[in-house]
Amino acid sequence: MTSSTPDQQATTPDTQADAAASAPAAEAATAAPAAAPAPAGLTARALLKQFQEQFPPFRDCLPLSIGIDKQILARLPDLDRKLMRTALGIHTGSLRYLRVMEKAKVRYDLDGKAGAEVTATHREHATQVLQQRFKKEADRKKAEREAAAAEEANRLRLEKLNQLTAKFSRKG
């Protein structure tokens, strides 16, 4: 005899079918402050989209308060922590969020209320991450251009060799 916890029950096929059938009801529930738990099979990007619909700081890409994960879990206790952390990583690693963090002065909680100040260290970190990304992208584009130039030079060389071969093979 095995007992099942609410978490285990949420991942059974029966509840997945029930969750799919009640999707319109779940969409209506997202307008409420406390939403229904995330259904099984939800991806991090889909969860992030749900956060953007529910919480103003996600939608407006405002700097999130430290410990926002605890606030989210308090409102959505059945949420998978690993999935939530992945969604938060996607959000906080986005170019848009990092650009906002570079200039931000204040952090915001889930309700959009201003809270703690953004430290200079956090602003500098955002700037460094952006610089690294831009440098990496510039290096990648430069390598692509160099490879394309080398390929074009090789093509021209082969074309000249073929012309020379054709020219001298006719006289023989």
Side-chain angles (χ1 to χ4, degrees), residues 108-169:
Y108 295 88
D109 66 5
L110 288 179
D111 296 322
K113 295 178 185 166
E117 189 175 310
V118 176
T119 64
T121 305
H122 292 152
R123 283 192 293 272
E124 289 169 15
H125 175 71
T127 302
Q128 289 172 355
V129 170
L130 285 171
Q131 287 174 347
Q132 289 170 355
R133 282 204 192 156
F134 293 144
K135 183 181 183 327
K136 187 176 179 181
E137 181 66 15
D139 291 346
R140 185 188 64 78
K141 285 182 178 181
K142 181 179 178 183
E144 282 179 3
R145 283 192 305 271
E146 289 172 353
E151 189 176 314
E152 180 65 16
N154 193 32
R155 187 188 65 76
L156 289 173
R157 185 178 145 274
L158 287 174
E159 188 177 301
K160 282 188 176 186
L161 282 173
N162 287 338
Q163 288 174 353
L164 285 172
T165 303
K167 180 179 178 181
F168 289 110
S169 65

Side-chain angles (χ1 to χ4, degrees), residues 5 10 14 39 42 64 73 79 83 112 115 129 131 152 159 162 168:
T5 65
D14 294 337
L42 185 68
L64 300 174
L73 287 172
L79 192 60
L83 185 67
V129 170
Q131 287 174 347
E152 180 65 16
E159 188 177 301
N162 287 338
F168 289 110

